[in-house]
Each structure stands twice: as C-alpha cells, then as structure tokens.
Amino acid sequence: MGILRSLTLLLIALASVLSLPATAQDEDPGEQLLFNLAEAPASKVEEAINAIVSSGDERARGWIEAYGNNRLSRIKDTGQVVLVLNNRGRDWEIANPLTGENMGDMSRRELDRVAINNRIRGQLEGILAMLDLNAADPDVREASAQDMMGKVDASLVAPLEARLEQEGSARVRNRIEEALAIYRVGEGNLEAIDVLAGSLHPRARAALNEAVRGDNPALATKAKQALGTIEQKLKLNRAAETLYFGLSLGSVLVLAAIGLAITFGVMGVINMAHGELIMLGAYTTWGMQQLFPGQPGLALILSIPTGFMVAATAGIIIERSVIQYLKGRPLETLLATFGISLILQQLVRTVISPQNRTVVTPEWMSGSLVINDALSLTLNRLYVLAFALVVFATLMLIMRKTRLGLEVRAVTQNRNMARSMGIRATRVDIMTFALGSGVAGLAGVALSQLTNVGPNLGQNYIIDSFMVVVFGGVGNLWGTLIAGLSLGTINQLLEPWAGAVLAKIIVLVFIILFIQKRPKGLFPQKGRAAEG
C-alpha cells in the first residue's frame, strides 16, 4: 500500500508538471533556487539564501519565512520542495511554494524537512529586513530599516551600504544611516556618533549609553556630548507634547463650557444639570453605534446632529418646566437644576445601565500622527481640538450674523430695553437655552471618543466649566475660548510635578485670586445689565 500511495503521488506530481505551460516548467528560476537551498550543505546555506535574496523574486520573503519556521520540506520520492501548511498529526497538508497551489495531505514519513541551524535562523531576521528594503512602498522600507537598528552585524554592512547608495527617500536613507551608525559605534567608530547625535530613536540612545560605559575614553566622551544634545531635543519635544495635551484638555473644557457661557450670560441661570446634558450627548453616540453596528464612523457623524437635538430638546423641557418659574431667583434655580441632574443620572442608570459603556473609535480617528521618534500626536485628541474650534466658529457666526444672535446680544446687554424694542425675551430664553444645551450635547459626542460613557460623565466637567466661564467673562465666547485653552494648558503643565488633584487645587486658588482683582473675568460683559 505504501508503494502504491507513493506511485500515485508521483503520477499526480508528474501530471501537474505536464499540465503547466512550457515557460512555467523551464523558466521559473524559483524552482532551482529552492532546490539549491534544500541540497546545500551547512557551509553553503548562506550562499543559497543570498541567491534567493538577490534574485528579486517577489516570492522570496515567503520562502525565507517558511524556511525559518521549518515549513520547507522535500518529497523523498521526487525531491520536489514543498511548503508545509499544517504539520499536525501523521498527515501534513502541503502546497506548491512556486504557485501556492494546495497539494493535499501527505504522510510526514514521506517528507524530509529542509534543515536549518540556530546560527542561520538568527540571521534570517536581518535578511528578511533586507528583503523589505527593496519594497516599492517607502513606508515599508522605512519600517524595515528601523527594525534593523541595533541588529546589524558584519554580514549586513555591505548590503546596507549598497542599498543606501540606491535609496531615493530621505527618510529611509536616514534610517539606514542610523542603523549602520549604531553598528559602527559598537565597533569604536567616532564619526558614527555624529550621525546618532541627531537621532531621537531609543535604540540610538541605547547605543550611545553603551559607548559611555565602554572602555574607549574618546568614544565615551563624544557619546556623552551627543547624549546631551539629544536630551535638549527631548526636552523640547516633551514640552511640545505637554502643550498639545494641554490644548486638547482645553478644547474639551471649551466644548463643555461654551454652552454654559451662553445660557449663564443671557439668562443668568446657574444650570447644575449642564453636565448631564453633556452625558446625554455621549449616550446618544453610544446609542447610534447600537443602531449602526460595525459602522462606528457613520454612527459618529450621525451622532453630531442627533446629539445636538437630543440635548437641545432636553434643555427646552428643563427651561419650560422648571427654569421659567424661577427667573431672578439664582439660589432656587441652582437647587432645582441640581435636583434635575440627579434625576437624569438615575434615569440613565435605570433605563440603560449603571455600568460604563464603551464607544468604539472609528479607524480614521485611531492611531497617532508621528512627528518624530519622540513626539506623536494622538488623532482622536487632534480631531476633538479641531471639532471644538469648528463649534466655536459656528457659534460666533450665529451670534454675529443671524437675527437670533442679534436678539441674544440685545437681551444679554439690557433685557428691559430689548423687550421695549419688540424682542420677545421669553422666546430668546427658550432658543438660547436650547442652543446652549445642544452645544453641551456636542461636547458629549466629542468626549465619547476620549473616555468611557457613564452616568457620572458630566459631573467630571461641571465645576471646570463654571471656572472657565467665570475666568473668561460671563457670556463672552472669546473669553470662554481663551480661558478654556489656558486653564487646560496650565493644568497639564502642573500635573507632572503636583499631581492631578493638587494641580486642580492650584488652578482653583489662582482663579479665586484672579476674580478678586477682576470680578468680571478676562473679557467683562458690556451693557447696562453688566453695570447693574
């Protein structure tokens, strides 16, 4: 039976060969390359591998990977090299490495593995990287060159130098030069340190630190100077990163506070339920993702108008049912809206869940924008920052270019005079509260991309929102923008050495001292209402 099985397999192999075009039988160089690798004695394996690498064959990477993973074997009876797809059990699934065609199962006793020793296996990582350096995509070549940093040995120096002369991309050239420089620093080359002095890559710093601890005094001195230069660059990059995170936090505060600034400035209402309106916007985003599963990008885009409408509707209900009866009574308004905030929190816990919900970030908002090896900007925060500026610009246009904006400014400056001129202050109050609440919903949509969505989400931002409004000037949008970005940046600068809690306390004390000198904030409100 064993002889019959072998004969059958041999006939199948012959039939498959005969069915191929003549060019595939006679001219495919890969067959000879694989045969040479399988037949090569230990002393000739590197030569056979180099032949595969230098062939330029697009299948070379797969062959080398299969060889390193012990997945290249030869059929004993025919000598044909095959690719082992599954080596579990007695029968192994095999394929043709030239065409990728599945050849079925074969007993492992009828196959001989192509031998590889640990020394060769250790070199394959660098060889595979060299293969990627010949890729058409410069990003692939750059990633390959970066992967080789700290892994270059004497056998790779000449190929890398040859590749460097051919490389047209400046980014890839820099990576190859750094990879070679790391190797040369290890060999005691002083000039290589000048190349690494301009690099912020961790492996470059590791190579320089190794040189500082080495036995070569001249090399150690120069490496120490290079590390000093790198440290200065790292400080600048860390400062830029802190500024970015500060502006990102500030943009969140602007989104959370700008709606409050509108309602507080026009109506004088201290709305303690503003945080829960933010929460409703965040839950709207989560709900849209439940309606459109597997499409987080579409759900997020639809959440922008939907979140605005949901929060604006809730704001109108709150204004008509509670706040209109408490005008001119700030203490009662504060207590009533605080009670509404508790009701909304409990309503969400009962209807949805007391547990936090995770909102999926779309693929186009994931990842980072890499500036250099020491600085990368997370895309979700970058989008939130841009979104905050767009919302601010839209509100400015509404306030400056529309009839609603004109009426809002009139009521803000002098409510009684605006009424005498025919402006319906009650309608303005409704529209203003709806607009401010809707913007709070937009803040919730943005926050859903930065943190988990939960019933207590709004409570984390209500106090900060009031601080921004008071610091910037009640009812002034420019003041809210500048105050939000400033407080976010200051808080981010203080956190590394003071801690999150102490940083907030310091900011709060600063605002208390500031309003002692400027009670009306950075940009005081204008008009008779402000003077009264």
Side-chain angles (χ1 to χ4, degrees):
M1 287 297 291
I3 296 174
L4 181 60
R5 178 181 174 83
S6 300
L7 184 59
T8 302
L9 289 169
L10 179 58
L11 290 173
I12 293 173
L14 287 173
S16 65
V17 170
L18 290 173
S19 65
L20 291 173
T23 53
Q25 296 177 38
D26 302 333
E27 298 181 8
D28 191 337
E31 184 174 2
Q32 187 62 45
L33 291 171
L34 289 173
F35 179 79
N36 292 341
L37 176 62
E39 285 288 323
S43 60
K44 298 290 185 179
V45 169
E46 291 183 42
E47 183 179 330
I49 292 174
N50 289 334
I52 293 175
V53 172
S54 60
S55 68
D57 195 308
E58 62 183 11
R59 301 166 295 182
R61 181 180 181 84
W63 296 339
I64 298 297
E65 285 183 337
Y67 177 55
N69 293 328
N70 283 325
R71 291 195 296 112
L72 280 186
S73 292
R74 295 182 65 193
I75 300 176
K76 292 180 180 180
D77 294 337
T78 65
Q80 181 184 1
V81 179
V82 295
L83 180 65
V84 178
L85 301 178
N86 186 351
N87 57 1
R88 294 180 180 177
R90 294 182 178 179
D91 293 332
W92 290 357
E93 185 181 2
I94 60 175
N96 189 326
L98 302 176
T99 64
E101 181 183 358
N102 193 303
M103 298 173 62
D105 294 344
M106 178 173 284
S107 172
R108 64 182 181 181
R109 295 183 178 180
E110 299 175 35
L111 295 170
D112 271 336
R113 278 183 174 172
V114 178
I116 179 174
N117 57 44
N118 290 334
R119 182 180 63 84
I120 296 296
R121 184 179 283 110
Q123 295 176 2
L124 289 185
E125 187 173 359
I127 292 170
L128 289 171
M130 284 299 302
L131 277 172
D132 288 338
L133 281 176
N134 295 314
D137 189 346
D139 291 335
V140 174
R141 299 201 304 271
E142 183 182 9
S144 174
Q146 178 172 316
D147 187 59
M148 295 185 73
M149 294 176 67
K151 300 176 182 178
V152 176
D153 56 24
S155 65
L156 294 175
V157 171
L160 280 175
E161 289 176 340
R163 181 64 221 175
L164 185 61
E165 293 179 2
Q166 302 171 9
E167 183 56 56
S169 170
R171 293 183 293 120
V172 181
R173 286 181 61 86
N174 288 338
R175 287 300 186 200
I176 296 175
E177 288 172 351
E178 289 172 358
L180 287 169
I182 290 174
Y183 167 75
R184 287 166 179 162
V185 166
E187 296 295 307
N189 190 314
L190 290 174
E191 294 180 358
I193 291 181
D194 295 330
V195 177
L196 298 184
S199 175
L200 298 175
H201 198 280
R203 293 177 189 170
R205 300 203 303 275
L208 291 172
N209 280 316
E210 191 68 27
V212 169
R213 294 191 294 267
D215 299 330
N216 188 329
L219 191 70
T221 301
K222 195 167 184 179
K224 192 172 183 179
Q225 293 173 350
L227 284 170
T229 303
I230 291 174
E231 186 59 35
Q232 292 299 320
K233 293 180 180 179
L234 288 174
K235 286 181 180 179
L236 291 175
N237 281 279
R238 282 194 288 265
E241 185 178 47
T242 301
L243 177 63
Y244 171 69
F245 279 109
L247 292 175
S248 173
L249 175 60
S251 66
V252 172
L253 295 179
V254 169
L255 281 173
I258 200 166
L260 189 63
I262 296 171
T263 55
F264 194 17
V266 174
M267 305 171 62
V269 172
I270 303 175
N271 181 18
M272 294 301 292
H274 187 77
E276 278 54 54
L277 296 173
I278 295 174
M279 174 196 70
L280 290 179
Y283 269 104
T284 300
T285 309
W286 173 79
M288 292 300 291
Q289 288 197 353
Q290 307 311 303
L291 292 176
F292 297 94
Q295 302 181 68
L298 175 63
L300 179 62
I301 292 172
L302 294 177
S303 296
I304 295 174
T306 309
F308 181 90
M309 293 305 299
V310 168
T313 303
I316 292 173
I317 294 172
I318 292 171
E319 198 279 334
R320 289 287 84 195
S321 61
V322 178
I323 291 176
Q324 69 163 330
Y325 303 109
L326 299 174
K327 288 180 181 176
R329 299 157 65 185
L331 181 59
E332 287 87 341
T333 304
L334 186 150
L335 291 174
T337 54
F338 179 69
I340 292 172
S341 73
L342 296 179
I343 292 171
L344 289 174
Q345 287 182 44
Q346 191 57 45
L347 181 65
V348 168
R349 289 191 179 96
T350 303
V351 174
I352 300 177
S353 171
Q355 303 297 323
N356 287 347
R357 299 296 186 182
T358 301
V359 174
V360 179
T361 300
E363 185 177 350
W364 44 271
M365 284 184 67
S366 303
S368 300
L369 176 63
V370 178
I371 306 301
N372 56 46
D373 290 322
L375 178 62
S376 60
L377 309 180
T378 51
L379 288 179
N380 59 345
R381 292 183 177 275
L382 197 60
Y383 275 102
V384 168
L385 177 58
F387 181 67
L389 295 177
V390 169
V391 171
F392 173 81
T394 304
L395 284 175
M396 288 298 295
L397 287 175
I398 291 173
M399 290 297 181
R400 298 294 178 186
K401 302 296 182 181
T402 66
R403 179 173 180 82
L404 174 62
L406 180 63
E407 292 179 348
V408 167
R409 283 183 286 137
V411 172
T412 301
Q413 292 182 14
N414 194 317
R415 177 178 289 267
N416 293 329
M417 181 62 72
R419 280 179 170 172
S420 69
M421 297 298 291
I423 294 175
R424 291 180 293 175
T426 301
R427 173 182 172 276
V428 172
D429 287 344
I430 295 172
M431 296 299 292
T432 301
F433 206 86
L435 180 62
S437 301
V439 174
L442 294 180
V445 174
L447 279 171
S448 69
Q449 301 304 305
L450 301 178
T451 185
N452 288 331
V453 176
N456 296 322
L457 173 66
Q459 293 297 307
N460 298 327
Y461 294 95
I462 184 65
I463 301 301
D464 289 339
S465 299
F466 275 109
M467 288 197 300
V468 169
V469 171
V470 172
F471 181 51
V474 175
N476 191 295
L477 297 185
W478 279 110
T480 303
L481 177 68
I482 294 173
L485 295 178
S486 300
L487 292 180
T489 303
I490 292 170
N491 194 79
Q492 199 66 33
L493 289 171
L494 293 175
E495 273 192 15
W497 63 272
V501 176
L502 184 57
K504 284 188 176 295
I505 292 173
I506 293 172
V507 171
L508 181 59
V509 170
F510 165 74
I511 292 176
I512 292 172
L513 295 176
F514 179 81
I515 60 177
Q516 295 294 320
K517 296 294 182 182
R518 291 180 66 93
K520 297 180 181 179
L522 287 172
F523 298 91
Q525 191 181 44
K526 297 179 181 179
R528 293 187 181 181
E531 296 170 3

Short mmCIF file of all heavy atoms in Angstrom, two decimals, residues 154-188:
data_model
loop_
_atom_site.label_atom_id
_atom_site.label_comp_id
_atom_site.label_asym_id
_atom_site.label_seq_id
_atom_site.Cartn_x
_atom_site.Cartn_y
_atom_site.Cartn_z
N ALA A 154 28.22 42.28 10.86
CA ALA A 154 29.20 42.49 9.80
C ALA A 154 28.70 42.02 8.44
O ALA A 154 29.02 42.62 7.40
CB ALA A 154 30.51 41.77 10.16
N SER A 155 27.87 40.97 8.43
CA SER A 155 27.41 40.42 7.16
C SER A 155 26.41 41.33 6.45
O SER A 155 26.18 41.21 5.25
CB SER A 155 26.77 39.04 7.39
OG SER A 155 25.60 39.16 8.18
N LEU A 156 25.76 42.26 7.21
CA LEU A 156 24.76 43.12 6.62
C LEU A 156 25.29 44.50 6.25
O LEU A 156 24.57 45.28 5.62
CB LEU A 156 23.58 43.30 7.60
CG LEU A 156 22.75 42.05 7.89
CD1 LEU A 156 21.71 42.36 8.97
CD2 LEU A 156 22.05 41.56 6.63
N VAL A 157 26.51 44.81 6.63
CA VAL A 157 27.05 46.15 6.38
C VAL A 157 27.14 46.44 4.89
O VAL A 157 26.66 47.47 4.40
CB VAL A 157 28.42 46.33 7.06
CG1 VAL A 157 29.07 47.64 6.61
CG2 VAL A 157 28.27 46.29 8.58
N ALA A 158 27.75 45.54 4.14
CA ALA A 158 27.92 45.76 2.70
C ALA A 158 26.58 45.86 1.96
O ALA A 158 26.38 46.79 1.16
CB ALA A 158 28.79 44.65 2.10
N PRO A 159 25.61 44.94 2.21
CA PRO A 159 24.31 45.10 1.55
C PRO A 159 23.60 46.41 1.91
O PRO A 159 22.97 47.02 1.06
CB PRO A 159 23.51 43.89 2.04
CG PRO A 159 24.53 42.89 2.45
CD PRO A 159 25.68 43.66 2.96
N LEU A 160 23.72 46.83 3.17
CA LEU A 160 23.09 48.08 3.58
C LEU A 160 23.74 49.29 2.91
O LEU A 160 23.05 50.24 2.50
CB LEU A 160 23.15 48.24 5.11
CG LEU A 160 22.10 47.46 5.91
CD1 LEU A 160 22.36 47.60 7.40
CD2 LEU A 160 20.70 47.94 5.58
N GLU A 161 25.05 49.27 2.81
CA GLU A 161 25.74 50.37 2.14
C GLU A 161 25.35 50.44 0.66
O GLU A 161 25.16 51.53 0.11
CB GLU A 161 27.25 50.20 2.28
CG GLU A 161 27.75 50.46 3.70
CD GLU A 161 29.24 50.20 3.84
OE1 GLU A 161 29.80 49.47 2.98
OE2 GLU A 161 29.84 50.71 4.81
N ALA A 162 25.22 49.27 0.04
CA ALA A 162 24.79 49.24 -1.36
C ALA A 162 23.37 49.77 -1.50
O ALA A 162 23.06 50.51 -2.44
CB ALA A 162 24.89 47.81 -1.90
N ARG A 163 22.51 49.38 -0.56
CA ARG A 163 21.13 49.85 -0.60
C ARG A 163 21.06 51.36 -0.37
O ARG A 163 20.23 52.06 -0.97
CB ARG A 163 20.31 49.11 0.46
CG ARG A 163 18.86 49.48 0.51
CD ARG A 163 18.13 49.11 -0.75
NE ARG A 163 17.22 50.16 -1.15
CZ ARG A 163 16.51 50.16 -2.26
NH1 ARG A 163 16.63 49.16 -3.12
NH2 ARG A 163 15.70 51.14 -2.56
N LEU A 164 21.94 51.86 0.50
CA LEU A 164 21.98 53.29 0.81
C LEU A 164 22.29 54.12 -0.43
O LEU A 164 21.72 55.20 -0.63
CB LEU A 164 23.02 53.56 1.91
CG LEU A 164 23.12 54.99 2.44
CD1 LEU A 164 21.80 55.42 3.07
CD2 LEU A 164 24.25 55.08 3.46
N GLU A 165 23.16 53.63 -1.27
CA GLU A 165 23.51 54.36 -2.48
C GLU A 165 22.35 54.41 -3.47
O GLU A 165 22.21 55.38 -4.23
CB GLU A 165 24.72 53.69 -3.15
CG GLU A 165 26.01 53.81 -2.35
CD GLU A 165 27.18 53.12 -3.04
OE1 GLU A 165 26.97 52.59 -4.15
OE2 GLU A 165 28.29 53.12 -2.46
N GLN A 166 21.48 53.41 -3.44
CA GLN A 166 20.36 53.35 -4.38
C GLN A 166 19.11 54.05 -3.85
O GLN A 166 18.23 54.40 -4.62
CB GLN A 166 20.02 51.89 -4.69
CG GLN A 166 21.17 51.07 -5.26
CD GLN A 166 20.83 49.60 -5.33
OE1 GLN A 166 19.69 49.20 -5.11
NE2 GLN A 166 21.82 48.77 -5.65
N GLU A 167 19.03 54.24 -2.54
CA GLU A 167 17.81 54.74 -1.92
C GLU A 167 17.54 56.20 -2.28
O GLU A 167 18.41 57.05 -2.17
CB GLU A 167 17.89 54.59 -0.39
CG GLU A 167 16.64 55.01 0.35
CD GLU A 167 15.41 54.26 -0.13
OE1 GLU A 167 15.42 53.01 -0.10
OE2 GLU A 167 14.44 54.94 -0.53
N GLY A 168 16.28 56.47 -2.69
CA GLY A 168 15.91 57.83 -3.07
C GLY A 168 15.14 58.58 -2.00
O GLY A 168 15.08 59.81 -2.03
N SER A 169 14.55 57.87 -1.04
CA SER A 169 13.77 58.52 0.01
C SER A 169 14.68 58.99 1.14
O SER A 169 15.46 58.21 1.70
CB SER A 169 12.73 57.54 0.56
OG SER A 169 12.12 58.05 1.73
N ALA A 170 14.56 60.27 1.50
CA ALA A 170 15.41 60.83 2.56
C ALA A 170 15.13 60.15 3.90
O ALA A 170 16.05 59.89 4.69
CB ALA A 170 15.19 62.33 2.67
N ARG A 171 13.86 59.84 4.18
CA ARG A 171 13.50 59.21 5.45
C ARG A 171 14.14 57.83 5.57
O ARG A 171 14.67 57.46 6.63
CB ARG A 171 11.99 59.09 5.59
CG ARG A 171 11.26 60.42 5.72
CD ARG A 171 9.76 60.24 5.92
NE ARG A 171 9.14 59.69 4.73
CZ ARG A 171 8.49 58.55 4.69
NH1 ARG A 171 8.39 57.80 5.77
NH2 ARG A 171 7.92 58.12 3.57
N VAL A 172 14.08 57.08 4.50
CA VAL A 172 14.66 55.73 4.52
C VAL A 172 16.18 55.81 4.62
O VAL A 172 16.81 55.03 5.34
CB VAL A 172 14.24 54.94 3.27
CG1 VAL A 172 14.82 53.53 3.31
CG2 VAL A 172 12.71 54.87 3.16
N ARG A 173 16.77 56.76 3.90
CA ARG A 173 18.23 56.94 3.97
C ARG A 173 18.67 57.23 5.41
O ARG A 173 19.68 56.68 5.89
CB ARG A 173 18.67 58.07 3.05
CG ARG A 173 18.63 57.73 1.56
CD ARG A 173 19.12 58.91 0.74
NE ARG A 173 20.51 59.24 1.07
CZ ARG A 173 21.56 58.67 0.52
NH1 ARG A 173 21.39 57.72 -0.39
NH2 ARG A 173 22.78 59.03 0.87
N ASN A 174 17.93 58.10 6.09
CA ASN A 174 18.28 58.43 7.47
C ASN A 174 18.24 57.20 8.37
O ASN A 174 19.12 57.01 9.22
CB ASN A 174 17.33 59.50 8.02
CG ASN A 174 17.57 60.86 7.41
OD1 ASN A 174 18.66 61.13 6.91
ND2 ASN A 174 16.56 61.72 7.44
N ARG A 175 17.23 56.35 8.16
CA ARG A 175 17.11 55.14 8.99
C ARG A 175 18.27 54.18 8.71
O ARG A 175 18.82 53.58 9.65
CB ARG A 175 15.78 54.45 8.71
CG ARG A 175 14.58 55.17 9.28
CD ARG A 175 14.66 55.30 10.77
NE ARG A 175 13.46 55.85 11.34
CZ ARG A 175 13.38 56.41 12.53
NH1 ARG A 175 14.46 56.50 13.28
NH2 ARG A 175 12.25 56.89 12.99
N ILE A 176 18.61 54.02 7.45
CA ILE A 176 19.72 53.12 7.12
C ILE A 176 21.02 53.66 7.70
O ILE A 176 21.84 52.90 8.25
CB ILE A 176 19.84 52.95 5.59
CG1 ILE A 176 18.58 52.27 5.03
CG2 ILE A 176 21.07 52.14 5.23
CD1 ILE A 176 18.55 52.16 3.52
N GLU A 177 21.23 54.97 7.60
CA GLU A 177 22.45 55.58 8.15
C GLU A 177 22.52 55.38 9.67
O GLU A 177 23.59 55.10 10.22
CB GLU A 177 22.50 57.06 7.81
CG GLU A 177 22.79 57.35 6.34
CD GLU A 177 22.65 58.82 5.99
OE1 GLU A 177 22.16 59.59 6.86
OE2 GLU A 177 23.01 59.20 4.86
N GLU A 178 21.38 55.52 10.35
CA GLU A 178 21.35 55.32 11.79
C GLU A 178 21.62 53.85 12.15
O GLU A 178 22.33 53.57 13.12
CB GLU A 178 20.01 55.77 12.35
CG GLU A 178 19.82 57.28 12.34
CD GLU A 178 18.40 57.70 12.71
OE1 GLU A 178 17.57 56.80 12.94
OE2 GLU A 178 18.13 58.91 12.78
N ALA A 179 21.05 52.93 11.37
CA ALA A 179 21.28 51.51 11.62
C ALA A 179 22.76 51.16 11.47
O ALA A 179 23.34 50.44 12.30
CB ALA A 179 20.44 50.66 10.68
N LEU A 180 23.38 51.70 10.44
CA LEU A 180 24.83 51.47 10.25
C LEU A 180 25.65 52.15 11.33
O LEU A 180 26.64 51.59 11.82
CB LEU A 180 25.25 51.99 8.87
CG LEU A 180 24.80 51.16 7.66
CD1 LEU A 180 25.06 51.91 6.36
CD2 LEU A 180 25.52 49.81 7.64
N ALA A 181 25.22 53.36 11.73
CA ALA A 181 25.97 54.09 12.76
C ALA A 181 25.95 53.37 14.10
O ALA A 181 26.95 53.35 14.83
CB ALA A 181 25.39 55.50 12.91
N ILE A 182 24.81 52.76 14.46
CA ILE A 182 24.73 52.01 15.72
C ILE A 182 25.74 50.87 15.70
O ILE A 182 26.44 50.62 16.70
CB ILE A 182 23.30 51.49 15.94
CG1 ILE A 182 22.35 52.65 16.24
CG2 ILE A 182 23.26 50.47 17.07
CD1 ILE A 182 20.89 52.25 16.34
N TYR A 183 25.82 50.16 14.57
CA TYR A 183 26.80 49.07 14.46
C TYR A 183 28.23 49.62 14.59
O TYR A 183 29.07 49.05 15.29
CB TYR A 183 26.63 48.34 13.13
CG TYR A 183 27.77 47.42 12.78
CD1 TYR A 183 27.93 46.19 13.43
CD2 TYR A 183 28.73 47.79 11.83
CE1 TYR A 183 28.99 45.36 13.12
CE2 TYR A 183 29.79 46.96 11.52
CZ TYR A 183 29.92 45.75 12.17
OH TYR A 183 30.97 44.92 11.87
N ARG A 184 28.50 50.73 13.90
CA ARG A 184 29.86 51.27 13.89
C ARG A 184 30.27 51.85 15.23
O ARG A 184 31.45 51.80 15.59
CB ARG A 184 29.96 52.34 12.79
CG ARG A 184 29.97 51.73 11.38
CD ARG A 184 29.72 52.75 10.31
NE ARG A 184 29.76 52.13 8.98
CZ ARG A 184 29.26 52.66 7.89
NH1 ARG A 184 28.64 53.84 7.95
NH2 ARG A 184 29.34 52.02 6.73
N VAL A 185 29.33 52.40 15.98
CA VAL A 185 29.66 52.87 17.33
C VAL A 185 30.09 51.69 18.19
O VAL A 185 31.04 51.79 18.98
CB VAL A 185 28.44 53.59 17.96
CG1 VAL A 185 28.65 53.78 19.47
CG2 VAL A 185 28.23 54.94 17.31
N GLY A 186 29.42 50.57 18.02
CA GLY A 186 29.83 49.37 18.74
C GLY A 186 31.21 48.90 18.36
O GLY A 186 31.89 48.23 19.15
N GLU A 187 31.65 49.26 17.13
CA GLU A 187 32.98 48.90 16.67
C GLU A 187 34.02 49.96 17.03
O GLU A 187 35.19 49.83 16.66
CB GLU A 187 32.96 48.69 15.15
CG GLU A 187 32.10 47.53 14.69
CD GLU A 187 32.63 46.20 15.19
OE1 GLU A 187 33.83 45.92 14.97
OE2 GLU A 187 31.86 45.45 15.82
N GLY A 188 33.59 51.05 17.71
CA GLY A 188 34.52 52.09 18.14
C GLY A 188 34.72 53.23 17.17
O GLY A 188 35.67 54.00 17.30
#
